[in-house]
């Protein structure tokens, strides 16, 4: 039975960093009276630039051990090194997590996994900072391969050159959704604190995560957030956390509502047949592409033609707008279609597809 399997949402809360014994005890005392299943606190902090607070290390482990015993709440810390794991186990930490800056490095992830061989402890793996679902999945598999049975994934967003959409880290929802498709049993936890970087947007992203069928939430919580030694802008007080949790609407994947089910079934059948038509049409479009490849080859023309591509983007966006489809969506869709089309034409140009007869029919 997984440690993470509770009624949705499984809630992890606690400060970004364990700053002082008092701060740890005060936060744990409040959270232990709430619907919080796991207390988090960083004791070694990966900071982007040197010279900032980097955690209290072993001292903080002592505070966590004390809070765990006194308030009967399981505790979790981030580990980035086998030495961290050794100390975490020595101080009876209940759950470990791997941070986003560690998940990017398969060597380090393997060191961590090797240090957990034969150890029965739940592990949570944050997404790597870059948008690579394979790398995230690979990190999870390294732990599974050494025999760690209880693994969860934490979606904390992906960093970019400049924040867009007002987020500190871009959510890129299709990535956690794809990971869950590949690993249906995996518990998915969302970390709205690190995605938003802003406490006033946590509720909105937490709700979205629930509607994306995430099982859990990790929300940084501090008694006096604005005084926090790390991530001050994105932490909430225990009281604010309580309000956020109370405001969540929890919806299920399935329902017993027969009317709703029948309506959905009808709409899905229509959608299935539309999708079949879309695929048949795309296949026809690709056949045309191959024929065009043959013409371009005989005329000594390039496969990709920037002017034509500009025209496609413009005309298809205009057409999309007639149906209220956003330009971003149409461009992204046509980038995918056009890319495949060009790939097919290149095969013709480079003689990897046998001669195609172009008929004027
Ligand atoms: C954290 O949880 O405080 C943290 C450092 O997270 P991340 O690895 O997502 O940056
Ligand atoms: Mn943090």
């Amino acid at each position: 039975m997984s440690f993470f399997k509770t009624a949705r949402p499984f809630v992890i809360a606690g400060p970004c960093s364990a700053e002082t014994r008092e701060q740890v005890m005060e936060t744990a005392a409040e959270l232990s009276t709430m619907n919080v299943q796991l207390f988090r606190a960083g004791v070694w902090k990966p900071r982007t630039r040197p010279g900032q607070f980097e955690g209290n290390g072993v001292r903080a482990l002592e505070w966590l051990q004390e809070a765990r015993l006194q308030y009967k709440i399981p505790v979790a810390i981030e580990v980035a090194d086998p030495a961290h794991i050794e100390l975490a186990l020595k101080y009876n930490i209940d759950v470990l997590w791997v941070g986003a800056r560690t998940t990017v490095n398969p060597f380090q992830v393997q060191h961590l996994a090797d240090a957990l061989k034969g150890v029965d402890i739940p592990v949570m793996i944050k997404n790597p900072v870059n948008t690579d679902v394979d790398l995230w999945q690979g990190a999870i598999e390294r732990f599974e391969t050494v025999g760690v049975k209880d693994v969860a994934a934490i979606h904390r967003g992906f960093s970019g050159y400049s924040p867009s959409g007002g987020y500190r880290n871009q959510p890129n929802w299709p990535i956690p959704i794809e990971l869950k498709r590949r690993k249906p049993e995996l518990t998915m936890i969302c970390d709205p604190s690190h995605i938003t970087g802003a406490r006033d947007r946590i509720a909105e992203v937490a709700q979205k995560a629930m509607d994306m069928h995430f099982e859990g939430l990790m929300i940084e919580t501090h008694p006096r957030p604005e005084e926090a030694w790390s991530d001050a802008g994105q932490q909430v007080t225990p009281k604010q956390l309580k309000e956020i949790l109370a405001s969540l609407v929890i919806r299920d994947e399935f329902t017993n509502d027969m009317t709703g089910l029948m309506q959905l079934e009808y709409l899905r059948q229509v959608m299935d047949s539309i999708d079949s038509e879309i695929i048949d049409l795309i296949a026809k479009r690709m056949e045309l592409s191959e024929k065009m490849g043959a013409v371009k080859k005989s005329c000594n023309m390039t496969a990709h033609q920037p002017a034509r591509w500009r025209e496609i983007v413009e005309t298809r966006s205009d057409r999309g707008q007639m149906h209220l489809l956003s330009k971003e969506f149409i461009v992204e869709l046509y980038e995918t279609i056009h890319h495949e089309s060009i790939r097919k034409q290149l095969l013709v140009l480079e003689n990897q597809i046998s001669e195609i007869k172009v008929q004027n029919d």
Side-chain angles (χ1 to χ4, degrees):
M1 182 63 184
S2 168
F3 179 80
F4 307 104
K5 290 274 178 272
T6 56
R8 288 171 59 235
F10 175 90
V11 180
I12 306 161
C16 178
S17 308
E19 298 165 3
T20 63
R21 178 181 168 277
E22 292 66 37
Q23 174 240 23
V24 168
M25 297 303 277
E26 185 182 349
T27 321
E30 291 203 57
L31 296 180
S32 66
T33 66
M34 295 169 44
N35 201 6
V36 170
Q37 282 75 41
L38 183 60
F39 182 81
R40 64 147 283 156
V43 305
W44 295 285
K45 297 304 300 177
R47 304 312 297 272
T48 303
R49 301 190 55 198
Q52 297 172 312
F53 172 62
E54 293 192 329
N56 282 304
V58 176
R59 272 194 322 151
L61 288 175
E62 284 170 10
W63 308 331
L64 286 175
Q65 194 173 39
E66 192 181 343
R68 172 182 187 273
L69 287 177
Q70 183 150 341
Y71 300 112
K72 311 216 166 349
I73 187 167
V75 297
I77 63 162
E78 173 176 349
V79 289
D81 208 273
H84 295 166
I85 292 186
E86 197 180 318
L87 284 163
L89 298 176
K90 181 170 161 203
Y91 282 88
N92 304 315
I93 298 299
D94 300 278
V95 177
L96 307 176
W97 88 79
V98 178
R101 294 165 191 77
T102 306
T103 309
V104 288
N105 183 344
F107 286 134
Q108 195 64 9
V109 171
Q110 192 60 50
H111 288 320
L112 296 178
D114 290 341
L116 283 176
K117 215 175 196 148
V119 181
D120 184 17
I121 188 166
V123 179
M124 309 186 288
I125 322 284
K126 287 199 168 197
N127 65 256
V129 285
N130 57 326
T131 53
D132 188 339
V133 68
D134 294 321
L135 194 56
W136 195 3
Q137 179 178 1
I140 291 165
E141 287 168 350
R142 287 180 195 276
F143 286 92
E144 289 173 339
T145 305
V146 299
V148 174
K149 288 187 201 68
D150 206 2
V151 181
I154 303 179
H155 169 228
R156 51 77 80 196
F158 302 86
S159 55
Y161 180 60
S162 59
S164 105
Y167 292 121
R168 176 181 176 192
N169 291 295
Q170 293 307 303
N172 287 308
W173 296 99
I175 293 181
I177 287 173
E178 170 60 9
L179 182 65
K180 179 80 175 176
R181 187 188 69 78
R182 295 183 187 183
K183 299 184 82 68
E185 300 305 321
L186 189 65
T187 301
M188 297 296 299
I189 296 164
C190 180
D191 173 348
S193 310
H194 288 88
I195 289 176
T196 61
R199 69 183 124 264
D200 59 347
R201 297 195 68 189
I202 288 176
E204 133 205 353
V205 172
Q207 179 63 54
K208 184 150 186 185
M210 288 297 98
D211 290 332
M212 295 290 192
H213 196 271
F214 277 65
E215 281 93 2
L217 294 170
M218 178 188 254
I219 298 180
E220 287 187 334
T221 312
H222 190 290
R224 286 162 297 281
E226 50 301 321
E227 292 170 23
W229 299 1
S230 57
D231 288 350
Q234 67 188 37
Q235 305 204 52
V236 294
T237 62
K239 184 165 170 278
Q240 288 167 329
L241 176 68
K242 202 174 210 164
E243 287 161 9
I244 291 171
L245 296 178
S247 75
L248 290 176
V249 180
I250 307 298
R251 301 178 172 95
D252 287 328
E253 181 174 6
F254 302 108
T255 178
N256 294 321
D257 179 331
M258 283 316 284
T259 317
L261 276 175
M262 277 163 65
Q263 285 169 338
L264 258 189
E265 182 53 33
Y266 167 72
L267 294 170
R268 282 186 172 149
Q269 278 184 19
V270 177
M271 187 178 277
D272 288 350
S273 83
I274 290 180
D275 280 347
S276 303
E277 285 178 45
I278 291 176
I279 290 169
D280 294 350
L281 283 173
I282 289 177
K284 273 198 190 138
R285 196 187 188 282
M286 292 305 160
E287 275 173 32
L288 286 180
S289 290
E290 286 183 3
K291 288 183 180 167
M292 287 162 70
V295 176
K296 287 177 182 175
K297 186 180 174 195
S298 69
C299 302
N300 219 18
M301 293 165 85
T302 54
H304 175 56
Q305 299 182 338
R308 167 69 177 158
W309 172 232
R310 272 198 297 278
E311 180 196 325
I312 289 181
V313 167
E314 265 164 43
T315 53
R316 278 42 165 186
S317 303
D318 288 348
R319 175 97 190 170
Q321 252 173 6
M322 284 166 48
H323 301 285
L324 300 180
L325 298 170
S326 75
K327 181 163 183 177
E328 293 74 45
F329 167 65
I330 294 289
V331 171
E332 210 172 299
L333 177 66
Y334 269 88
E335 272 169 357
T336 308
I337 293 175
H338 185 248
H339 183 74
E340 177 63 8
S341 190
I342 294 298
R343 192 185 69 83
K344 293 241 182 237
Q345 295 194 9
L346 285 175
L347 290 178
V348 178
L349 254 60
E350 292 159 9
N351 297 322
Q352 292 178 42
I353 286 185
S354 55
E355 213 51 59
I356 295 162
K357 295 257 174 321
V358 185
Q359 294 157 345
N360 291 323
D361 46 23

